[in-house]
Amino acid sequence: MSERRSPSRRGIPKGAVVASAAGALAKMAAADQADANLLALGRELEAAWSKEQAAIEEADRLANVAECMREAPADVLLAYHRDGVPLFHFEAGAYRINRAVFAHVKDLEHVWRVCGFREGPCPEAALLPYLATWRAGRDKAWEASGTFAADEERERLSEVRADLCNRIVAMRAGTVAGIAVKLRALAITRGDGPDDDWIGDVVTSPGFSTAERAAFSTLRDALAILGVGGSHG
């Protein structure tokens, strides 16, 4: 019986070596091409995100202009306080409504009217027509200042950015650069700042199961080894 020998480099046909190398190169080329598309989407995302941020700033600026254009609230509104907190306060050239006090006025009137837990009219009910007038004035000021149009543009750019993020998520990354693009899309979607460590928060949070924390711990370590953003050491 002849002795069986383990396969050696000499025993491997040259054609198989060439085919294996060609296959590996083809896979690398395919990954590079796929990531070229992913990196291109990443550049589009950065441009779209920058435009969206500029649109948000412009919409906020115009909203402040609109607030300054509005007439002052009625005296009865300016005189109203809840536990020492006024319904309105004056700031940056405009009257600003206190949302908590405003919610109290609406809720109290609603409960009083629907449940009838007290006799007689609700004192806060008299404020509602003045508040309706105030809110109508807001819409007029937003229209005149261009705030509505700016807000619509901000919403449009937000949808463009969200679509790009969805397309990036649907693609597979084949390189570290591609993974960095996907992490950037994740950070933009979450609204993370440069110092946010959301993965670390998951790992240390008792609100997640051991399996979930283990998975995110592994992800954090893998990202650190790859040297891409999205985690802290």
Side-chain angles (χ1 to χ4, degrees):
M1 180 181 298
S2 61
E3 181 180 353
R4 298 183 62 181
R5 295 182 299 175
S6 300
S8 64
R9 185 169 298 179
R10 290 182 178 180
I12 300 176
K14 293 183 178 179
V17 174
V18 173
S20 177
L25 290 174
K27 288 182 180 180
M28 292 175 60
D32 288 342
Q33 180 57 45
D35 268 19
N37 297 332
L38 185 57
L39 295 180
L41 282 179
R43 290 189 291 271
E44 288 186 47
L45 175 60
E46 291 295 344
W49 182 79
S50 296
K51 290 180 180 178
E52 182 187 4
Q53 297 307 300
I56 290 173
E57 292 180 4
E58 179 64 4
D60 289 344
R61 184 188 71 80
L62 291 175
N64 285 326
V65 171
E67 290 299 315
C68 294
M69 292 171 58
R70 296 170 67 174
E71 295 182 3
D75 291 341
V76 65
L77 296 178
L78 294 177
Y80 185 85
H81 287 66
R82 164 70 177 172
D83 296 333
V85 179
L87 178 59
F88 282 88
H89 65 279
F90 193 79
E91 178 184 345
Y95 283 97
R96 316 285 177 169
I97 195 167
N98 186 306
R99 299 293 176 184
V101 178
F102 174 56
H104 163 77
V105 170
K106 291 197 305 178
D107 292 345
L108 181 60
E109 189 278 335
H110 175 78
V111 172
W112 194 304
R113 172 169 45 83
V114 174
C115 300
F117 68 97
R118 291 185 188 176
E119 295 295 331
C122 173
E124 276 73 10
L127 301 179
L128 298 185
Y130 295 101
L131 284 170
T133 300
W134 168 258
R135 292 170 68 84
R138 166 193 174 275
D139 291 347
K140 293 179 181 178
W142 273 44
E143 185 68 39
S145 65
T147 304
F148 278 130
D151 205 47
E152 290 176 358
E153 175 64 6
R154 177 201 59 77
E155 183 64 26
R156 185 189 70 79
L157 291 172
S158 176
E159 292 176 357
V160 170
R161 182 260 306 157
D163 177 68
L164 286 169
C165 285
N166 287 332
R167 292 167 62 189
I168 287 172
V169 167
M171 299 179 71
R172 295 182 67 98
T175 64
V176 172
I179 292 176
V181 168
K182 301 190 82 168
L183 287 171
R184 177 60 175 155
L186 174 60
I188 288 176
T189 301
R190 286 176 45 85
D192 289 342
D195 297 324
D196 290 338
D197 182 18
W198 68 272
I199 296 179
D201 292 341
V202 172
V203 172
T204 59
S205 173
F208 292 86
S209 69
T210 301
E212 289 171 329
R213 287 186 286 111
F216 278 93
S217 176
T218 303
L219 172 62
R220 177 187 60 185
D221 295 345
L223 294 176
I225 292 171
L226 291 172
V228 293
S231 66
H232 295 263

